[in-house]
Amino acid sequence: MRKRRIVGIVFCTFGLLLAAVLFMQLYAIMHRTQAHPLTVQEEQTESESLMEEAAGALAKQEGQEESETAAENGWTGNSEEDVMAVYEIVRAMDFTVEQPHMELTEEEDLAYKEAFLCLLKNELSIEGGEEWCEDGDRYRDLWWAGIPYEELLEERDNTDFVQGCCYYYDDIDGDGKPEFGVCQGAVYFFDYELGEKTCSVSYGGQRTYFEGLLGVGKIWEHDTQHGWVERFRYIVLNSAGEWEEVLQLELYYGEEKETVYTKYVLINDVNVGEETWEELTAPFYEAIEYEIPKKTLKEVFGELLESD
């Protein structure tokens, strides 16, 4: 009995001590809370602030990556000032297709055609030809052109202007006199003055991009040679008599669930948005429906080819 009483006293004493310790800890916690009622709230606010900073940093990084990607694709700005500047420039452009008009006598017309035939036969030199000719100053030396005359004759009636050759014999620069255009691997427009022993190249470009003439002094190109981007270029003859690219349209595409869509559109390297794009590009797309017809070799020179 005495042992049981001693054991009971020990357990009771231990229980009282444990209760006292728990009470003191609880009191300390309550006292600290009363003394600093905002501690928990401050800790929560600090945690939220850190989360907001992390989210902000991530958004900034994503924005930077998006800007870098856009810059790589040619988008250099999208501010309201940029858009308005492009808007004013394009709205002021004249996309009217002016059809060529020449008033030549039969003798003058014959003289021009005979001279351009001499060009194709390598009998007429090209003034300043070092810019366009690989080695020499004749048609045969032209970069990506110079097809032998005999081969041109074999294709005199070929109307496959996509794969084959095509020609222009029109007033291309608006001076009332004919210029001669040759579209082969490259495109060249030749100027010639009656009585001269040379001609000159007024324009040279790649056939891959060249699409056609939009009347006097206007050219358009269509570039689909690069993945996920389509480009249109509008090139005009400026007041200095030089061909100048004044407009470039770019459509950048993306793909989602096997559907191709337009990600964004640029006019002269500025993302103008779809609504402004539709307004500004409508006159250009209408103009390209009225380009000057391309001709075959026979359509240009007719009976002059019969003697060859």
Side-chain angles (χ1 to χ4, degrees):
M1 291 291 294
R2 185 182 178 189
K3 288 183 179 180
R4 290 181 181 178
R5 180 180 294 179
I6 293 173
V7 172
I9 293 172
V10 171
F11 275 104
C12 287
T13 303
F14 179 77
L16 291 173
L17 290 173
L18 181 60
V21 170
L22 292 174
F23 177 78
M24 292 177 65
Q25 290 181 347
L26 179 62
Y27 176 79
I29 293 173
M30 292 177 64
H31 179 71
R32 186 185 67 176
T33 304
Q34 291 176 355
H36 306 282
L38 299 180
T39 300
V40 176
Q41 182 177 355
E42 290 174 352
E43 291 176 354
Q44 182 178 3
T45 302
E46 182 179 357
S47 177
E48 291 176 351
S49 178
L50 290 174
M51 292 178 65
E52 290 176 357
E53 289 180 4
L58 179 60
K60 183 178 181 180
Q61 180 180 0
E62 291 176 348
Q64 183 178 359
E65 291 175 353
E66 181 178 350
S67 298
E68 290 174 354
T69 301
E72 290 174 359
N73 290 329
W75 173 11
T76 59
N78 189 29
S79 69
E80 184 177 351
E81 291 77 10
D82 290 333
V83 175
M84 285 304 300
V86 168
Y87 185 88
E88 295 297 332
I89 291 173
V90 180
R91 285 282 292 174
M93 289 183 182
D94 181 11
F95 294 96
T96 304
V97 178
E98 179 186 352
Q99 295 298 324
H101 178 70
M102 298 184 295
E103 294 183 0
L104 303 175
T105 65
E106 291 185 6
E107 291 78 9
E108 289 173 333
D109 182 57
L110 179 60
Y112 276 112
K113 289 180 178 179
E114 287 178 340
F116 291 132
L117 265 184
C118 287
L119 170 70
L120 296 179
K121 296 177 181 178
N122 301 303
E123 298 171 359
L124 186 68
S125 63
I126 301 172
E127 184 179 359
E130 62 275 2
E131 181 179 355
W132 308 104
C133 298
E134 296 179 352
D135 184 18
D137 63 353
R138 305 289 168 145
Y139 163 77
R140 61 173 173 249
D141 305 311
L142 286 170
W143 174 70
W144 280 15
I147 297 175
Y149 182 66
E150 293 73 21
E151 294 183 17
L152 296 178
L153 282 178
E154 293 177 0
E155 301 293 328
R156 70 182 72 186
D157 295 313
N158 190 354
T159 58
D160 182 6
F161 297 147
V162 176
Q163 299 295 330
C165 300
C166 59
Y167 306 87
Y168 291 99
Y169 178 75
D170 292 288
D171 178 16
I172 297 174
D173 60 9
D175 63 356
K177 297 177 290 186
E179 285 76 45
F180 183 51
V182 177
C183 304
Q184 297 173 1
V187 179
Y188 296 99
F189 296 155
F190 298 95
D191 282 331
Y192 174 73
E193 295 294 334
L194 290 179
E196 298 292 331
K197 297 182 179 180
T198 63
C199 66
S200 61
V201 176
S202 66
Y203 171 84
Q206 295 188 43
R207 174 71 179 274
T208 302
Y209 304 135
F210 178 85
E211 284 292 338
L213 283 169
L214 298 181
V216 175
K218 299 173 182 177
I219 296 171
W220 75 288
E221 294 182 343
H222 188 200
D223 179 1
T224 58
Q225 302 300 309
H226 308 279
W228 301 105
V229 59
E230 181 179 13
R231 294 185 176 94
F232 297 87
R233 301 183 186 93
Y234 188 51
I235 303 169
V236 303
L237 197 62
N238 61 27
S239 59
E242 299 176 348
W243 293 96
E244 176 185 2
E245 179 184 311
V246 297
L247 179 66
Q248 177 169 263
L249 310 177
E250 299 174 273
L251 297 97
Y252 285 85
Y253 299 105
E255 184 176 12
E256 184 175 309
K257 296 181 179 179
E258 300 182 356
T259 300
V260 176
Y261 66 97
T262 304
K263 291 198 298 185
Y264 53 90
V265 290
L266 306 184
I267 297 180
N268 290 353
D269 293 336
V270 175
N271 190 342
V272 299
E274 292 186 8
E275 184 176 348
T276 301
W277 169 277
E278 294 293 337
E279 177 184 353
L280 293 180
T281 60
F284 170 79
Y285 286 126
E286 181 179 358
I288 64 178
E289 298 296 326
Y290 300 96
E291 67 178 47
I292 297 176
K294 302 175 178 69
K295 296 180 174 69
T296 65
L297 193 69
K298 187 172 184 179
E299 287 175 329
V300 174
F301 297 104
E303 294 180 357
L304 289 177
L305 301 178
E306 300 302 323
S307 58
D308 295 312

